[in-house]
Amino acid sequence: MIRLAANHREAVNQSQGVWDYISPSRLNLWLKCPLAWKLRYIDGVKTPPTPALFLGTRVHDALEMFYRHRQLGVGLSVETAVKRIADSWEAAVETESMTFESVAAELQLKQQAADLVRVYLTLMADANDIPLAVETTLQRPLIDPATGENLGIPLLGVLDLILDDRDGPLICDFKTSSKSAAPFEVTHEIQLSCYAYLYRRSTGREEGGLEIRSLIKTKVPKIEFHRYEPRNDRHLRRLFAVVRAYLDDLDAGRFVFRPGLGCAMCDYRDDHCGSWEA
Ligand code: SF4
């Protein structure tokens, strides 16, 4: 792996702390497009939160409250958790400088968030899940399991929920989306491998499985559960191959654009992208 001169690394680090840690979202954005990653993490080009992202944070917040109470043995009613959406909405709008197309669009989004939480919790009311951890931030050094090499940078991740499941600890991640997605494991591979690595390094235990819980914003909200096997050596080798390639790009200061289907969803498409290599 190439290593940068200290002064260049310091200059890069000063912009967004990119040498402080690696996270699944940083890795995934770099995999999608190194130029988009640079614009966000080195150049610090801020993009406004989208309604879809804002809805996702509000739903996560309500579910976090529900499961934190359950972890303490306090059973919250579904409607108490749903009320959290309305109670926290205004403060979140202000904190995240969120703007809406219209008052009607804001009310519709708030209702959608409440409906998603209601449908999910109604479905799970009798599950009697036992949370081992809720919205937990883990950070551990990246030590390649195959070689024992410490890569000199930690991995950081926030795990939504870990449940005490029959097969062992079940690492769950909540997603909100507008449509169903086929359960292609590779879509979530980086995130799941990161979480499994962090969990194992933090507890000394192996996970019993991993699950993506999708709350889908169809007219009648739908909930989908996609469960995946514990990570194996191949998953970890693939994760570390990605981490090494990512660090090589950072060291080389090389951030080549990667046009593709993802451009349709990219905030930099209509301005900053076109300036690259202009
Ligand atoms: S529009 Fe496409 S190529 Fe350009 S920065 Fe975004 S993802 Fe990368």
Side-chain angles (χ1 to χ4, degrees):
M1 197 183 309
I2 308 158
R3 283 296 177 204
L4 268 188
N7 57 352
H8 178 73
R9 176 179 286 219
E10 201 176 315
V12 171
N13 202 25
Q14 274 170 0
S15 52
Q16 292 291 306
V18 295
W19 293 105
D20 290 350
Y21 64 87
I22 292 177
S23 67
S25 51
R26 289 182 177 197
L27 282 179
N28 274 327
L29 182 56
W30 172 80
L31 283 166
K32 178 182 146 200
C33 177
L35 175 61
W37 181 94
K38 174 184 178 285
L39 289 165
R40 175 157 176 192
Y41 292 111
I42 293 186
D43 300 343
V45 180
K46 298 256 187 288
T47 54
T50 62
L53 274 179
F54 186 75
L55 175 137
T57 60
R58 294 300 86 221
V59 168
H60 270 77
D61 177 71
L63 296 182
E64 178 187 343
M65 186 183 88
F66 177 86
Y67 280 111
R68 280 202 191 283
H69 279 79
R70 181 167 274 191
Q71 190 178 19
L72 295 171
V74 180
L76 283 191
S77 72
V78 171
E79 287 310 315
T80 302
V82 170
K83 190 168 168 292
R84 170 80 175 179
I85 298 284
D87 290 348
S88 65
W89 191 267
E90 290 306 324
V93 166
E94 200 170 318
T95 306
E96 299 186 31
S97 305
M98 185 66 203
T99 55
F100 300 92
E101 265 179 32
S102 63
V103 172
E106 178 179 358
L107 287 176
Q108 189 187 8
L109 200 73
K110 197 197 280 192
Q111 186 62 50
Q112 222 171 16
D115 289 346
L116 285 173
V117 171
R118 183 177 291 109
V119 169
Y120 172 81
L121 289 179
T122 302
L123 188 68
M124 300 306 292
D126 299 327
N128 290 321
D129 291 330
I130 301 171
L132 299 172
V134 180
E135 196 72 13
T136 302
T137 302
L138 299 178
Q139 180 170 318
R140 284 293 176 270
L142 274 162
I143 299 170
D144 190 331
T147 64
E149 183 189 0
N150 186 335
L151 301 192
I153 187 167
L155 178 66
L156 181 144
V158 183
L159 280 63
D160 287 344
L161 179 66
I162 305 176
L163 295 173
D164 191 8
D165 192 61
R166 63 183 188 281
D167 297 326
L170 179 67
I171 299 173
C172 302
D173 190 67
F174 295 115
K175 303 225 176 283
T176 51
S177 67
S178 53
K179 56 183 182 197
S180 298
F184 297 131
E185 184 173 338
V186 71
T187 316
H188 307 293
E189 182 170 334
I190 294 298
Q191 188 180 26
L192 298 179
S193 297
C194 284
Y195 288 170
Y197 177 87
L198 285 167
Y199 181 76
R200 293 175 187 193
R201 282 270 163 191
S202 302
T203 64
R205 296 181 68 189
E206 290 207 1
E207 72 283 2
L210 302 111
E211 194 165 84
I212 301 288
R213 297 186 168 187
S214 299
L215 286 67
I216 302 165
K217 297 174 279 179
T218 34
K219 199 167 176 191
V220 177
K222 259 197 326 190
I223 312 297
E224 288 181 350
F225 298 81
H226 294 142
R227 190 162 178 148
Y228 304 99
E229 293 297 310
R231 302 298 83 180
N232 56 35
D233 291 349
R234 181 184 65 94
H235 290 118
L236 294 179
R237 277 198 304 276
R238 284 153 66 104
L239 172 63
F240 273 79
V242 168
V243 169
R244 286 175 185 279
Y246 169 89
L247 290 173
D248 284 349
D249 258 16
L250 261 66
D251 276 347
R254 177 183 55 220
F255 305 106
V256 175
F257 89 150
R258 193 168 292 164
L261 293 178
C263 299
M265 306 276 288
C266 179
D267 293 318
Y268 304 119
R269 182 189 60 238
D270 298 329
D271 40 31
H272 297 82
C273 180
S275 308
W276 184 65
E277 297 287 347

